[in-house]
Amino acid sequence: MKNKKEIDRRRTFAIISHPDAGKTTLTEKLLLFGGAIQVAGAVKSNKIKKHATSDFMEIEKQRGISVATSVMCFEYKDVLVNLLDTPGHKDFAEDTYRTLTAVDSVILVIDSVNGVEEQTRKLMEVCRMRDTPVIVFVNKMDRDGKYPFDLLDEIEKELNISLHPMTWPINMGKEFKGVYNLHDKTLNLFAASQKATEDNTVPIPDLADSLLDETVGERDAKQLREDADLLEGVYGELDKEAYLQAKVAPLYFGSAVNNFGVKELLDTFITIAPRPLGRPTSTRFVQPDEDKFSGFIFKIHANLDPRHRDRIAFLRVVSGEFKRNTYFKHVRMDKDVRFSNPYSFMAREKEVVDSAYPGDVVGLYDTGTFKIGDTLSEGEALQFTGIPTFSPEIFKELVNKDPMKTKQLEKGIRQLTDEGVAQLFTQHGGNRKIIGCVGELQFEVIQYRLLQEYGASCAFNPLSFYKACWITGDKKKIDDFVRFKQANIMEDKDGNLVYLAQSEWFLNTEKQNNPDIEFHFTSEFKTQMA
Ligand code: G4P
């Protein structure tokens, strides 16, 4: 185990939330603790502006800038933290799902006022598919939010997870006085806009102590005692194993914008979050401390500037050591490739790296050789699994507007879908092409890029499909079904059979009529998205 020390000190994670819950603000505060940025606002200025929804070029421009913040590294108490950014805009949700395959744990931010929101639910489903350990941060305690016990209930029910409160708030909104750390038995007093170095903690090992009344007042002291009593009885000590197995999520309360509760979160995170984990492949499970290198591509970022048409493929190192200028096997293409300028995201600027270890993410210049999900190895024919595609939400037929450019259109759409911009479904036994996306914005991106980069012009005809379902089962039954439902049977880009259901009702009917066929909402079938 050559790299044990390097592996042990790494933590790779993502922050996820419904837009506006405070992901960007929390990211920034964490980076400030790690000394990775000096000034607050540095991340925020890169954020895709929420209001620019109709202007995708603006969004793409900002996505371009955000390459630099795609992976943010910082060191905190000797731990090397890799924080992978996820796009906040819901139309790019598929990017977020894929990024989640490259992390080992997540911090989920929930707005205390809005509670569990749509995107929170979806992201948690993706985490659950892979049993990703979660720490929950309830943000905006400086605002009048939901009653903490109600929130606890809501989160547990809606997200189907067991929570373990690590801190407990004393009031909220204008009355917010701080949080009591149930584990350390300290009272952390709230002050707006706390500096990273400020420490307003008062040790109160025994809640019966009158110091509590003197500090927060009699009424709040009484309430806290009651709450803590109740919590103690229900939750006891945090079971770290259960957290690592994604069965329990530790819960913190705070206010990111005021830098309150963030340090506690980070301190716990670096102590309990998992070190880089192994990953399954189609043949065996790869452990991080294996000597030989392996890794997979989870994201491809294209440069929209026509003068710089390079793409950047993001590689997550799973095992061994990634080395610059060293030949590795590109498994799908069965070809050796090497990289002279791989870069890491260690500093504020991208910088060329000579080596990278499990948990690290390396940016590779790509001229079109990579697809999402590709594996690199030191010779073994491994194929990492667990990088599924999900059923899109909007479907449109691709219409070629310039028959002279048919070849360009075919090539362009294939490359864009390899990048993960959208999903391409081709009619089984035909040539009809249907594009599936999560948001309208992606169609604009495709249309623009096909024209700019491939000289192909296209239009889209809206189709009213509900879901794409990958189908598996008895071959004869599948053959019959395919023959019978020809108009709705497509192939994904890897040739897998997909049934496009017009509505939930149609899907349920087909399920009932075909009990020997399984309908899956993702391209990998071990676990299911609802
Ligand atoms: P996101 O990345 O999850 O979309 O959220 P972001 O951090 O951008 O935060 C969304 C809004 O919530 C921001 O306000 C931010 O300042 C605010 N916010 C974050 N944490 C807290 C908190 O603890 N308390 C309160 N009261 N507000 C918080 P904005 O008006 O959209 O942007 P800005 O003008 O403040 O930058």
Side-chain angles (χ1 to χ4, degrees), residues 179-437:
V179 294
Y180 182 68
N181 191 321
L182 297 154
H183 183 256
D184 297 348
K185 314 253 181 260
T186 51
L187 186 62
N188 194 359
L189 293 170
F190 176 70
S193 306
Q194 282 194 183
K195 299 240 163 52
T197 48
E198 260 168 13
D199 188 7
N200 291 330
T201 35
V202 184
I204 305 198
D206 182 0
L207 277 179
D209 197 322
S210 61
L211 180 62
L212 181 64
D213 305 75
E214 287 157 30
T215 322
V216 298
E218 258 173 52
R219 188 200 62 183
D220 292 336
K222 182 167 173 278
Q223 184 66 52
L224 178 64
R225 285 185 188 112
E226 279 175 26
D227 291 352
D229 233 25
L230 195 64
L231 293 164
E232 181 91 33
V234 179
Y235 296 101
E237 277 294 297
L238 173 71
D239 178 351
K240 280 188 205 153
E241 268 315 302
Y243 155 71
L244 290 174
Q245 291 165 9
K247 294 197 176 115
V248 164
L251 170 83
Y252 284 85
F253 291 89
S255 168
V257 81
N258 290 299
N259 204 11
F260 184 79
V262 177
K263 185 169 178 298
E264 289 75 9
L265 177 73
L266 183 57
D267 282 335
T268 306
F269 170 79
I270 59 159
T271 326
I272 67 170
R275 74 204 263 277
L277 300 172
R279 294 284 188 280
T281 71
S282 53
T283 42
R284 66 185 185 87
F285 193 88
V286 174
Q287 297 291 353
D289 25 29
E290 290 181 18
D291 284 346
K292 290 205 168 154
F293 159 78
S294 68
F296 64 90
I297 304 293
F298 64 94
K299 169 171 167 163
I300 294 174
H301 193 106
N303 196 338
L304 276 194
D305 182 342
R307 286 162 304 168
H308 304 281
R309 286 264 295 279
D310 51 348
R311 312 193 297 179
I312 295 161
F314 290 75
L315 171 90
R316 149 93 194 210
V317 181
V318 178
S319 67
E321 183 181 345
F322 173 88
K323 291 197 196 99
R324 181 177 166 218
N325 276 330
T326 303
Y327 278 103
F328 293 119
K329 186 186 180 85
H330 185 313
V331 176
R332 180 176 53 86
M333 294 177 83
D334 193 19
K335 159 176 138 181
D336 288 339
V337 287
R338 67 175 174 160
F339 304 91
S340 48
N341 288 311
Y343 63 77
S344 87
F345 307 83
M346 213 21 228
R348 248 174 299 168
E349 300 292 319
K350 303 180 290 203
E351 60 180 37
V352 172
V353 278
D354 290 320
S355 51
Y357 299 94
D360 286 343
V361 172
V362 182
L364 305 173
Y365 285 106
D366 172 36
T367 46
T369 48
F370 285 121
K371 273 192 199 186
I372 303 269
D374 274 346
T375 300
L376 286 182
S377 77
E378 230 175 293
E380 193 177 339
L382 297 168
Q383 175 59 55
F384 283 101
T385 55
I387 309 152
T389 27
F390 299 93
S391 173
E393 295 180 11
I394 308 173
F395 298 86
K396 293 189 183 186
E397 181 164 0
L398 179 72
V399 182
N400 184 358
K401 280 179 49 185
D402 182 356
M404 302 293 287
K405 296 281 171 67
T406 304
K407 271 216 172 97
Q408 287 85 335
L409 185 76
E410 301 249 339
K411 181 176 173 208
I413 200 69
R414 207 153 286 282
Q415 288 198 347
L416 293 187
T417 47
D418 282 352
E419 254 176 50
V421 175
Q423 290 180 51
L424 171 67
F425 300 103
T426 310
Q427 189 176 24
H428 180 62
N431 202 27
R432 190 175 173 215
K433 288 187 171 46
I434 292 177
I435 305 292
C437 289

Side-chain angles (χ1 to χ4, degrees), residues 17-25 44 47 50 139-140 142-143 255-258:
S17 75
H18 188 85
D20 264 0
K23 178 172 75 76
T24 315
T25 314
K44 192 136 207 146
K47 185 178 156 173
K50 296 168 275 246
N139 191 28
K140 307 197 186 179
D142 58 321
R143 295 186 52 197
S255 168
V257 81
N258 290 299

